[in-house]
Amino acid sequence: MMGAARSATAIMRMPWKNLPDALKVSLFMGLVEFLRSGFFVGFFPLFGLEVLKIPLSYVGFLTTLHYGTEAGTRIFAVWLANRFALGVGFVLSAVLAFASFYFFLWSPPVLYPLWAVTWGLALAPLWPRIAAYLRQLARPGFEGRSVSYAWLIIGPLIAAGSFGVGFLSKHDLAWGKSALLFGSVLMLAAGLALFNLRFSERLQKPPPKAWRRYLPLLVPAFLQALAPHLLTTVLFPFLKQSELGVQDVAWPLALSGLLFLAAFRFASVYADQKDPANVVTLAAVFAMVGFGVLGFLPTDVAVDVSIPAIGVALGLYLPGWNAVIVRALPEGERGEGWATLSTASGAAFALGPFVGALAWDLIGPQGPFRLGLFLLALLIPYYQLYFRRLLAHR
């Protein structure tokens, strides 16, 4: 009885020693991603086609350029940003992202590559530094959850950007633009509020042999990021072609949210205390269901299964993957380790829109989902056979 009570208390307990700072940092990262996802996924494709009259391929190129810049410069950006106070770096990133967004709206399209690169550089050091900072704030035994719980703030804001701004823009571009303008002001204010934040982790050069412990994580980091980002440029064309509106996806999304919370609650404790390899494996299985039904069944039937299954997959994956990283990365170099793994996932973010569009052209609207199903299937034996051995030595 006492053991059950202690377990319930552990589930409800926040994983950070400094709750206000953890919440402020998570909110800032969520607003950064709201603006980015809202612009590149929800607003820019429609804005480019309907207002600017530029080819969708140019929109895809700019999206790839943005994510590619963030991924390709991440290790150097973290190394450089670590020479400054954490809060100062956040303010600089917020200012550059804010300026890039406004230049996209009010400068000629020929300059767009410059703003895509600038925005990518602005965001390059954020995820690794925030992950390392949240890990430093973790209570004993809550290391994996210290990052996972931040996603309860960040994830809904990404969804609000991608889908909320997307559906607003689909109805009226002015509505989507207004939401982004409001979000950009909130993001800048959140960044300025962190100006005095300090990060006391001692900087050190990673021992050469220690890198070998987490380099094998690059394979799943790339594949599991590539699968969902196959949909970046084709998502709203797919919804439009399928004639799906908000009312058609409302109840699956609501169910998905409830299932996400239930899966997240279970996985957060299980991954930290037992075996995160099982958690990420189960996440891949549910994601395969989500992609598979959309790849092979009629869309109006598939969405009722796909969206809830993907909600479960996300709820399992976030705590599971974060626990894998915390266990696998050597102490004292998690900032650089997060940067390396984020570079692999960032490369997938950049490549995904192009590969997904190519799959659409070659196979049809269901092509990106079928390709995603194949990529996710590759992960399961890797998780079970390799992760278990890797984590057993930690």
Side-chain angles (χ1 to χ4, degrees):
M1 191 76 174
M2 292 291 293
R6 281 195 295 268
S7 297
T9 302
I11 291 172
M12 299 303 295
R13 189 182 184 190
M14 284 291 120
W16 308 294
K17 293 175 286 188
N18 187 329
L19 180 62
D21 281 353
L23 292 178
K24 287 189 289 185
V25 166
S26 301
L27 178 61
F28 169 64
M29 193 69 235
L31 291 170
V32 167
E33 289 293 354
F34 169 84
L35 184 63
R36 193 236 298 260
S37 63
F39 181 77
F40 283 105
V41 179
F43 177 80
F44 193 39
L46 297 174
F47 181 69
L49 288 174
E50 298 176 13
V51 177
L52 301 176
K53 309 298 182 183
I54 59 177
L56 190 59
S57 59
Y58 189 48
V59 174
F61 163 74
L62 292 168
T63 304
T64 292
L65 182 62
H66 165 72
Y67 282 107
T69 299
E70 181 189 6
T73 62
R74 184 163 277 157
I75 294 176
F76 173 76
V78 169
W79 175 84
L80 183 63
N82 279 343
R83 272 59 194 165
F84 301 93
L86 188 64
V88 173
F90 287 168
V91 170
L92 291 175
S93 291
V95 169
L96 285 175
F98 182 87
S100 299
F101 164 65
Y102 279 85
F103 282 131
F104 259 113
L105 294 181
W106 290 307
S107 67
V110 69
L111 295 178
Y112 284 180
L114 176 60
W115 314 137
V117 168
T118 303
W119 203 339
L121 290 171
L123 272 54
L126 287 185
W127 273 111
R129 298 194 84 199
I130 285 177
Y133 179 69
L134 291 174
R135 166 62 183 82
Q136 186 189 65
L137 295 181
R139 299 177 186 275
F142 286 74
E143 288 81 4
R145 278 167 279 181
S146 67
V147 180
S148 300
Y149 274 43
W151 273 93
L152 295 177
I153 297 172
I154 298 169
L157 286 170
I158 294 176
S162 300
F163 293 98
V165 174
F167 279 112
L168 285 175
S169 301
K170 185 181 176 184
H171 179 76
D172 189 332
L173 281 170
W175 290 14
K177 182 179 178 180
S178 297
L180 290 174
L181 291 172
F182 181 66
S184 70
V185 173
L186 290 180
M187 179 207 67
L188 185 61
L192 291 172
L194 298 173
F195 180 78
N196 292 321
L197 198 64
R198 295 292 183 269
F199 188 27
S200 60
E201 184 179 56
R202 188 177 66 179
L203 300 175
Q204 64 184 59
K205 186 177 180 180
K209 291 184 179 180
W211 287 77
R212 300 174 187 174
R213 301 180 189 178
Y214 59 84
L215 283 177
L217 297 175
L218 293 175
V219 174
F222 178 80
L223 291 178
Q224 66 200 13
L226 180 60
H229 283 83
L230 296 173
L231 310 181
T232 300
T233 55
V234 304
L235 178 60
F236 277 91
F238 178 80
L239 292 175
K240 185 175 182 179
Q241 180 165 320
S242 303
E243 298 182 346
L244 293 175
V246 177
Q247 69 279 5
D248 299 305
V249 298
W251 88 260
L253 282 173
L255 178 59
S256 176
L258 294 175
L259 292 174
F260 168 87
L261 291 174
F264 187 93
R265 181 177 177 177
F266 159 75
S268 294
V269 177
Y270 186 92
D272 263 348
Q273 296 180 354
K274 295 184 180 179
D275 189 355
N278 284 339
V279 176
V280 291
T281 300
L282 193 58
V285 171
F286 275 97
M288 286 176 62
V289 172
F291 274 74
V293 295
L294 283 173
F296 292 97
L297 296 180
T299 305
D300 56 345
V301 175
V303 293
D304 291 342
V305 176
S306 175
I307 296 176
I310 290 174
V312 175
L314 283 173
L316 294 169
Y317 165 74
L318 293 173
W321 179 243
N322 287 324
V324 166
I325 292 177
V326 166
R327 291 197 194 184
L329 296 186
E331 291 284 350
E333 54 188 87
R334 286 199 170 105
E336 289 80 0
W338 275 100
T340 302
L341 296 178
S342 297
T343 299
S345 59
F349 297 167
L351 188 61
F354 171 74
V355 175
L358 185 62
W360 177 294
D361 290 339
L362 295 177
I363 303 174
Q366 292 181 316
F369 300 100
R370 295 178 183 179
L371 178 58
L373 174 64
F374 172 74
L375 296 175
L376 290 164
L378 294 177
L379 286 169
I380 292 178
Y382 195 97
Y383 287 154
Q384 282 297 300
L385 299 177
Y386 189 81
F387 270 20
R388 195 174 304 283
R389 187 168 71 251
L390 175 71
L391 299 180
H393 291 86
R394 294 298 297 158

